[in-house]
Amino acid sequence: MNEMFLLKLGEIVLKGANRYNFENRLKSNIRRRLAAYGKFKVYLTQSTVYVEPLEDTCDVDGAWDACGAIFGVVSVCRCRPCEKDLDAIFAAVQSYLGDDLAMGTSFKVESKRSDKRFPLNSIQISQHIGGLIAEAYPNLKVDVHHPAYTVYVEVRDHAAYVHGPATPGAGGLPTGVGGKAALLLSGGIDSPVAGYMIGKRGAELECIHFFSYPYTSELAKQKVLELARLMTRYMGRMTVDIVGFTEIQEAIRDNCPEEYFTLIMRRFMMRISERIARDHGAEALVTGESLGQVASQTMQAMAVTAHVVDMPIFQPLIGMDKEEVVKIARKIGTLETSILPYEDCCTVFTPKHPKTKPSLKAVEEAEAPLDVEGLIERALQNVEKVQVKYED
Ligand code: ATP
Ligand code: MG
């Protein structure tokens, strides 16, 4: 075996007694996510997960890419394992990192010795290997402050490992340790980012989408499923519950004052989502509002909307500017799909002059002509469940 990955754990190492749950969850998440790329051995010691390809047929690049999107990991690096012996370590440096070194102008060696039985301490290892590198690559200068390239040597329990600079991991906490939440997923830019942020904190997610055929098209639905699929790169597989929303929207249009259309519609979304969430064992709702972005995202409007549910509503984008959200959407790969120009059910029957400072009493009166419970019941009978996973 000449290449493997080291995944370093972040905050997870701080979690005291819960640490074992966290670590086990992380290991099983990694195993599940790598299954599509061949057989890998995954084990954890000393706050590091080791990922070792077991067969020549393993898709190592695919697995490497997947490891960069696993929550609970702060940094990832590809490395070459070797015997815990200075000559073997130097040979590994030359064969594995030689090309990178040859392209640089200066270098340093950083070593870590977690196997305290190894006779040299970390400074001595760095000095020794650094000396050999300087001899072998005479045009490279040693520069301990601003090196063009850093060689890392880690002497650990099972073996020694050499590697170049690590790449940042996905951060956050392992998926599943933070409970389960239901994301209200529209086709826009914001809700996938909101889901990603809560997912990053260790929550498993299920998605709910409201769909108003024929006001919104089949293409709009496919777009939402594609967004959910893109999110599974980070979250693992999810279910998308697609709720038929046409009857509710038409009932609102036909029976309620126009200025309250959006608010009443959003109250229905919340009520239905809460019930679907409970069915999935989810304990919070996640939505993508940002304060003041549109009329339905004022404090008063959000109070009226949240009033109909009895579980926490997480709005991780509430204090973010659009630009900041767009940046994350680009990073997680959902932006391109989000900006495809299909309509959302929120844009059907949009009032010309929506209420921006609604009172609860006025909204309840505006809603009074509707058979709320009947409409919810029928919508819940009209749910299509779609499983999405990254490899689809
Ligand atoms: P997004 O970019 O996520 O669509 P937005 O800025 O367009 O958000 P709104 O349309 O007011 O905002 O929606 C606010 C939030 O309500 C969304 O972020 C999403 O969580 C939820 N939402 C809106 N439309 C739908 C829908 N059709 N299905 C499910 N959830 C929705
Ligand atoms: Mg929207």
Side-chain angles (χ1 to χ4, degrees):
M1 164 231 358
N2 59 10
E3 191 176 41
M4 54 187 285
F5 312 152
L6 301 182
L7 280 51
K8 307 276 169 92
L9 310 194
E11 233 172 293
I12 181 174
V13 300
L14 304 172
K15 296 291 175 182
N18 268 334
R19 175 172 165 168
Y20 293 102
N21 293 340
F22 279 53
E23 292 183 345
N24 287 336
R25 180 63 79 128
L26 179 64
K27 271 188 292 184
S28 68
N29 289 348
I30 294 172
R31 289 196 182 106
R32 193 160 358 95
R33 302 284 273 287
L34 295 187
Y37 305 99
K39 276 213 169 84
F40 292 84
K41 185 170 167 193
V42 175
Y43 51 99
L44 191 157
T45 58
Q46 300 171 309
S47 298
T48 301
V49 181
Y50 298 71
V51 175
E52 232 178 274
L54 292 177
E55 297 168 332
D56 289 341
T57 50
C58 285
D59 174 1
V60 175
D61 290 331
W64 170 247
D65 188 54
C67 285
I70 293 176
F71 291 134
V73 172
V74 275
S75 75
V76 289
C77 64
R78 293 170 91 131
C79 67
R80 164 136 329 152
C82 63
E83 270 178 53
K84 291 192 267 186
D85 162 274
L86 291 169
D87 290 340
I89 292 172
F90 180 62
V93 169
Q94 271 193 305
S95 62
Y96 189 58
L97 304 175
D99 289 350
D100 291 338
L101 277 169
M103 286 194 306
T105 48
S106 59
F107 80 101
K108 77 167 172 179
V109 179
E110 251 187 46
S111 305
K112 219 163 62 207
R113 178 190 62 153
S114 46
D115 174 5
K116 301 296 178 208
R117 291 163 312 178
F118 192 73
L120 274 60
N121 66 25
S122 53
I123 293 173
Q124 292 166 325
I125 298 170
S126 295
Q127 282 170 342
H128 185 90
I129 299 296
L132 293 173
I133 294 174
E135 252 172 59
Y137 302 87
N139 50 342
L140 276 184
K141 282 199 321 265
V142 176
D143 180 346
V144 292
H145 299 297
H146 304 288
Y149 193 76
T150 303
V151 170
Y152 293 85
V153 175
E154 303 192 38
V155 179
R156 291 170 163 263
D157 284 350
H158 298 298
Y161 304 86
V162 304
H163 58 87
T167 318
L173 300 171
T175 303
V177 302
K180 196 191 258 193
L183 168 67
L184 280 77
L185 181 63
S186 70
I189 295 172
D190 300 332
S191 43
V193 173
Y196 162 81
M197 298 205 39
I198 297 301
K200 187 167 176 234
R201 295 308 300 167
E204 240 176 288
L205 289 186
E206 303 293 352
C207 300
I208 303 170
H209 176 65
F210 294 91
F211 181 61
S212 291
Y213 189 80
Y215 303 104
T216 60
S217 65
E218 180 61 28
L219 282 172
K221 177 162 123 188
Q222 292 309 323
K223 169 182 169 179
V224 169
L225 290 174
E226 173 61 6
L227 284 173
R229 189 191 71 80
L230 290 168
M231 291 176 68
T232 60
R233 172 165 144 71
Y234 290 92
M235 247 66 72
R237 61 183 56 184
M238 301 191 291
T239 308
V240 185
D241 283 37
I242 300 172
V243 185
F245 206 47
T246 314
E247 187 194 350
I248 291 175
Q249 287 201 285
E250 289 177 341
I252 296 170
R253 177 196 61 191
D254 296 341
N255 296 287
C256 305
E258 183 184 307
E259 56 194 354
Y260 292 109
F261 279 2
T262 308
L263 283 168
I264 295 173
M265 180 194 77
R266 300 196 58 74
R267 282 159 61 91
F268 272 96
M269 283 188 181
M270 300 313 273
R271 292 181 180 109
I272 293 170
S273 296
E274 181 179 28
R275 297 196 198 187
I276 294 177
R278 291 199 194 283
D279 269 357
H280 279 295
E283 294 170 294
L285 300 178
V286 181
T287 58
E289 288 87 356
S290 146
L291 186 62
Q293 193 185 75
V294 289
S296 57
Q297 298 180 18
T298 64
M299 287 184 202
Q300 297 81 356
M302 289 188 285
V304 162
T305 306
H307 195 261
V308 293
V309 296
D310 202 15
M311 60 170 50
I313 302 171
F314 295 150
Q315 302 171 317
L317 313 189
I318 198 71
M320 288 169 71
D321 293 348
K322 198 74 186 183
E323 241 172 84
E324 297 170 286
V325 178
V326 165
K327 200 165 148 199
I328 300 175
R330 191 174 284 125
K331 179 181 102 176
I332 65 174
T334 52
L335 183 66
E336 291 288 301
T337 304
S338 286
I339 58 183
L340 293 173
Y342 304 121
E343 63 297 320
D344 179 55
C345 69
C346 285
T347 54
V348 183
F349 315 133
T350 315
K352 280 188 209 69
H353 303 289
K355 273 272 180 226
T356 54
K357 291 190 177 173
S359 75
L360 182 60
K361 189 160 162 284
V363 175
E364 284 174 347
E365 274 168 25
E367 206 176 69
L370 301 176
D371 168 20
V372 171
E373 202 45 44
L375 286 164
I376 292 175
E377 280 305 320
R378 287 194 293 284
L380 285 171
Q381 280 157 20
N382 186 9
V383 176
E384 180 192 355
K385 287 184 185 296
V386 184
Q387 302 275 348
V388 285
K389 57 177 197 288
Y390 197 63
E391 305 85 58
D392 286 348

